[in-house]
Amino acid sequence: MFFTVLTIFPEMFDSFWNHGIIRRAIEHNKIVASAVNIRNYAKDRHQVTDDRPYGGGSGMVMKPEPLAAAIRDTAKTLNGAKTVLLTPQGRVFDQKMARELASSDGLILVCGRYEGVDERICHDLIDYEISIGDYVLTGGELAGMIIIDAVTRLIPGALGGEDAAAKDSFSDDLLEHAHYTRPSNFEDQEVPEVLLSGHHQEIENWRLESSVMRTLLKRPDLLHKKNLSRQEREILGKWGREIERILDLYQNGKKGT
Ligand code: 4GX
């Protein structure tokens, strides 16, 4: 899979391409990645990429011609590429979209600066408008890195031996279980005993319970959307009964009075 980023700040990606999983994915030919300067496609002597907005007002707008030339020139060398514009007006990025994008041959990510890009770019030249969340950035570059990061780890072989974890059916819709490493006692806090027991099935059960209950407590909205397995429903039922038991003790005046 390939990623080509169109930006006026390609140097922002130098460090991004050269660390961790992204670097390894490039070295193992799982992805081909580059950042191209939109300025290279500006025809005038000063290679201007922005201009004042029609209708007046503050701020600048990215001119359509250099952007269109950059997108077309990139797309013609990359068959099957989808073009993505990073913008607060886009569909909000999530794991489902990451999976959808990971199934494409490649992405051309258009990173705007200033107040945005000339609207006429969007109609013919952009396949997806994507927002990484409801907040305002100073440019699309960090948003582009986030998309590339989330998509790359879904590419088969990109995570090395950990692919199964990324694809694990429940790992997408539930929060991760709690993690622990040595020492087994840290500042008077013990690691849950079952994790030291070597009982693989019990450890798996504990991890699912940890995932389900962390999701319920920290991100209940994720549970509302999810199709729950029998085991997940059993975990919620068990804790539901436990909560009811505690409330019953109060109602019967056996506690806290
Ligand atoms: N998720 N920004 C883009 C300029 C801009 C505006 C409109 C194209 C169209 C953002 C986000 C984000 C700020 C990046 C405005 N470019 N991008 N920039 N949230 O806030 O993706």
Side-chain angles (χ1 to χ4, degrees):
M1 165 149 206
F2 55 81
F3 299 102
T4 302
V5 183
L6 305 181
T7 167
I8 59 167
F9 296 133
E11 298 82 6
M12 283 182 73
F13 289 81
D14 293 348
S15 166
F16 180 61
W17 303 140
N18 278 300
H19 291 91
I21 299 288
I22 301 293
R23 182 192 180 122
R24 234 217 1 223
I26 293 169
E27 286 170 352
H28 290 32
N29 302 315
K30 305 293 177 192
I31 65 171
V32 176
S34 65
V36 171
N37 199 331
I38 296 163
R39 242 176 229 293
N40 299 345
Y41 292 90
K43 292 245 169 64
D44 64 296
R45 203 161 60 88
H46 294 105
Q47 299 197 295
V48 174
T49 57
D50 61 326
D51 204 343
R52 288 161 28 234
Y54 273 124
S58 62
M60 298 295 269
V61 177
M62 292 185 80
K63 290 167 68 62
E65 305 98 314
L67 257 180
I71 295 170
R72 289 207 173 95
D73 190 50
T74 307
K76 80 169 184 241
T77 62
L78 304 173
N79 277 324
K82 296 288 182 196
T83 55
V84 174
L85 177 68
L86 288 316
T87 164
Q89 291 130 76
R91 198 171 124 203
V92 178
F93 188 63
D94 62 8
Q95 191 65 18
K96 181 162 164 268
M97 267 171 105
R99 274 186 250 119
E100 190 178 323
L101 296 177
S103 71
S104 70
D105 295 331
L107 299 178
I108 298 168
L109 297 126
V110 180
C111 304
R113 286 263 149 184
Y114 322 115
E115 305 310 305
V117 303
D118 188 300
E119 185 70 18
R120 293 165 294 181
I121 283 295
C122 309
H123 299 144
D124 298 334
L125 292 170
I126 298 297
D127 295 313
Y128 299 95
E129 291 186 28
I130 299 180
S131 165
I132 59 156
D134 293 333
Y135 37 77
V136 183
L137 306 172
T138 60
E141 287 79 9
L142 286 170
M145 289 182 205
I146 283 168
I147 307 277
I148 294 167
D149 194 275
V151 170
T152 295
R153 64 183 289 290
L154 296 178
I155 295 169
L159 292 184
E162 298 158 43
D163 272 12
K167 288 191 202 123
D168 209 331
S169 60
F170 82 78
S171 67
D172 286 345
D173 306 321
L174 291 177
L175 298 181
E176 280 268 286
H177 58 74
H179 292 81
Y180 298 91
T181 186
R182 291 184 291 180
S184 67
N185 184 303
F186 171 70
E187 298 181 354
D188 287 338
Q189 302 178 82
E190 291 283 354
V191 171
E193 218 174 280
V194 60
L195 299 181
L196 313 176
S197 71
H199 291 115
H200 296 298
Q201 188 54 56
E202 279 181 44
I203 290 169
E204 276 316 297
N205 294 346
W206 181 89
R207 286 182 169 161
L208 181 63
E209 183 159 335
S210 171
S211 274
V212 170
M213 294 312 292
R214 273 151 72 94
T215 310
L216 175 69
L217 294 173
K218 295 173 194 236
R219 290 294 307 277
D221 56 304
L222 296 179
L223 278 189
H224 293 301
K225 284 195 268 183
K226 182 172 167 31
N227 289 317
L228 295 165
S229 71
R230 184 190 52 79
Q231 215 184 343
E232 289 159 357
R233 280 178 281 132
E234 276 171 12
I235 291 163
L236 290 167
K238 177 183 119 182
W239 285 98
R241 285 189 297 279
E242 182 64 21
I243 291 164
E244 278 172 14
R245 209 170 68 83
I246 293 165
L247 291 174
D248 278 351
L249 289 174
Y250 273 98
Q251 280 195 326
N252 298 332
K254 288 176 189 156
K255 231 181 164 184
T257 47

